[in-house]
């Protein structure tokens, strides 16, 4: 809601409070004898439709979901983004940073920074591509695979709880908006 500020000036009568407002006797204004009133003004009614913005709703929902996964994965020493990276690399196999960024629809700079954290923890290792030394290939280490396996039950419980809260249809719609299954298509269900 926008506001318009109206200033109303109150002047002390001559001679009032001379110690606190020396200019009052001369009709001057001081901080003590000036009042400012704020009057709320109605916002542009056409802007209220922006409160239903899909972009804002999706970003807020993404932050809320990320917080839930971060909290669940914290005892395992992982954040949601780190878990996702380890899972993507484990599923897709060793990947160049550019290819991994494309798989995850992620910004390459952010991905590089997150992979550096995983590398410091010994969960991911890099090697240069044999054909092009400028390309670095990320691979999950044995230690990273163990961290992923240890975190999987906490991830699974959170996934099931959130899916139950938002409903399977909403979860399916969310995946559809994301472009289908993340990283790789799901294998066919056993018959």
């Amino acid at each position: 809601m926008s506001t318009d500020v109206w200033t109303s000036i109150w002047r002390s009568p001559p001679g009032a409070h001379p110690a606190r407002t020396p200019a009052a006797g001369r009709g001057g204004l001081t901080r003590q004898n000036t009042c400012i009133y704020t009057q709320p003004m109605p916002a542009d009614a056409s802007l209220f439709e922006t409160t239903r913005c899909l972009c804002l709703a999706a970003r807020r929902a993404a932050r809320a979901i990320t917080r839930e996964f971060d909290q669940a994965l914290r005892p395992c020493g992982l954040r949601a983004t780190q878990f996702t990276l380890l899972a993507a690399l484990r599923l897709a196999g060793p990947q160049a940073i550019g290819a991994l960024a494309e798989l995850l629809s992620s910004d390459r700079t952010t991905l590089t920074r997150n992979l550096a954290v995983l590398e410091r923890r010994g969960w991911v290792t890099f090697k240069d591509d044999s054909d092009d030394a400028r390309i670095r290939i990320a691979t999950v280490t044995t230690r990273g695979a163990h961290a992923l396996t240890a975190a999987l039950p906490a991830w699974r419980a959170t996934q099931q709880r959130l899916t139950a809260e938002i409903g399977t249809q909403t979860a399916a719609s969310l995946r559809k908006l994301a472009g289908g299954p993340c990283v790789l298509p799901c294998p066919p269900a056993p018959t």
Side-chain angles (χ1 to χ4, degrees):
M1 179 175 277
S2 66
T3 57
D4 187 13
V5 178
W6 297 344
T7 304
S8 175
I9 301 171
W10 173 78
R11 294 183 183 195
S12 301
H17 310 294
R20 287 189 288 145
T21 57
R26 297 186 302 272
L29 296 177
T30 64
R31 186 175 191 92
Q32 289 83 10
N33 64 4
T34 302
C35 300
I36 297 176
Y37 299 94
T38 304
Q39 175 67 37
M41 301 297 289
D44 183 358
S46 66
L47 288 177
F48 282 110
E49 69 185 293
T50 65
T51 63
R52 299 199 178 275
C53 176
L54 291 175
C55 182
L56 176 61
R59 291 170 59 106
R60 289 181 68 179
R63 285 191 293 269
I65 290 169
T66 300
R67 276 193 303 271
E68 293 290 323
F69 278 104
D70 278 346
Q71 185 177 356
L73 296 170
R74 187 174 295 127
C76 304
L78 281 166
R79 296 184 58 102
T81 52
Q82 296 166 344
F83 179 87
T84 300
L85 280 173
L86 287 173
L89 275 174
R90 191 81 169 132
L91 285 169
Q95 294 288 312
I97 294 173
L100 186 59
E102 193 174 316
L103 276 173
L104 296 172
S105 296
S106 177
D107 175 69
R108 189 181 166 116
T109 305
T110 303
L111 182 65
T112 301
R113 189 172 48 245
N114 288 329
L115 284 169
V117 172
L118 296 179
E119 183 181 31
R120 281 194 302 272
R121 298 185 97 179
W123 293 341
V124 169
T125 187
F126 290 97
K127 66 177 181 169
D128 292 334
D129 187 344
S130 58
D131 297 332
D132 189 346
R134 295 172 298 170
I135 297 176
R136 297 179 66 206
I137 307 294
T139 305
V140 176
T141 63
T142 303
R143 188 173 172 190
H146 289 306
L148 181 62
T149 300
L152 193 56
W155 174 87
R156 188 175 286 127
T158 305
Q159 175 81 357
Q160 290 169 350
R161 181 177 54 79
L162 289 175
T163 300
E165 283 181 23
I166 67 173
T168 55
Q169 188 60 43
T170 302
S173 295
L174 183 60
R175 285 187 201 94
K176 183 178 177 185
L177 281 172
C182 299
V183 183
L184 296 170
C186 295
T191 55

